[in-house]
Amino acid sequence: MEKKNNVHKYLRIIPIVGVLFFLGLVIYAYRHGIFQSTDSLQRFIQQFGDYAVVIFVLLQIVQVIIPILPGGISSVAGMLMFGNGFGLFYSCLGLIIGEAIGFLLVRYYGVSFVQLILSPKKYQKFDQLLTQKTKDIKKVLCLTLLIPFAPDDLICLVAGLTKLSFKEFMQIVILLKPWSVGIYSMIMLFLFHKAQGNL
């Protein structure tokens, strides 16, 4: 029985250790300027060769749980590297997986996990949303996923602490997330090209 309890403790700790490990890698990469521009991000991902897609998807997953990139850089980098269609597909894949992991981690570890990954300012916003929006969480989730640039990642974390089932949550995210990612990414790509003088 005691051995079983120890195994359960380790299983609870592993996801947090994984998040902290990724956070360490992200801080290292951030300090070395990898996330400062689409060019530096592309160079970083391309060095992995055949595994570039896997690294890109992993970055998108982490991006949901720990916001590390200035808005749109990862999506634009993906579209420039893999083409608009595949770039958007890989972005959506990583972001949807990230939303699922974030939801499950919040549901399992509760507010303590949210405090671990959010800055005090973002946590305050999270706390306000949790107090005000839990009754209408499905409506709010749909709305924020439909509107590009809305704080949908924060709402997804809030959803993890409500009675919304994981199945319902995933149905909403899979149906609506590609819409907001697509619009957001195309706008950012347009602005990127405009800034580069390619239009």
Side-chain angles (χ1 to χ4, degrees), residues 10-139:
Y10 289 130
L11 288 174
R12 290 192 58 169
I13 291 168
I14 285 169
I16 292 180
V17 171
V19 169
L20 290 173
F21 175 72
F22 270 117
L23 184 58
L25 285 178
V26 163
I27 291 169
Y28 171 83
Y30 186 79
R31 285 182 177 172
H32 286 76
I34 289 166
F35 301 134
Q36 288 180 357
S37 70
T38 50
D39 289 337
S40 59
L41 184 59
Q42 278 180 275
R43 284 195 300 272
F44 171 71
I45 294 171
Q46 283 170 342
Q47 72 181 336
F48 293 97
D50 294 340
Y51 299 101
V53 171
V54 176
I55 296 300
F56 177 74
V57 171
L58 284 172
L59 277 173
Q60 291 296 78
I61 292 170
V62 175
Q63 167 70 4
V64 174
I65 302 168
I66 309 166
I68 48 171
L69 303 173
I73 279 188
S74 59
S75 295
V76 170
M79 291 165 78
L80 291 172
M81 279 189 296
F82 309 115
N84 290 358
F86 281 112
L88 281 175
F89 173 74
Y90 298 143
S91 282
C92 288
L93 180 63
L95 294 171
I96 288 170
I97 293 170
E99 300 289 13
I101 292 171
F103 180 94
L104 291 172
L105 286 171
V106 171
R107 177 142 295 181
Y108 192 76
Y109 292 103
V111 174
S112 58
F113 176 76
V114 180
Q115 288 174 317
L116 181 70
I117 63 170
L118 294 183
S119 65
K121 189 177 179 181
K122 280 197 173 181
Y123 179 75
Q124 189 178 9
K125 194 174 181 182
F126 168 87
D127 197 41
Q128 288 171 352
L129 288 167
L130 186 62
T131 306
Q132 298 166 7
K133 307 294 184 185
T134 49
K135 288 180 182 176
D136 306 311
I137 191 62
K138 281 172 75 171
K139 194 186 294 182

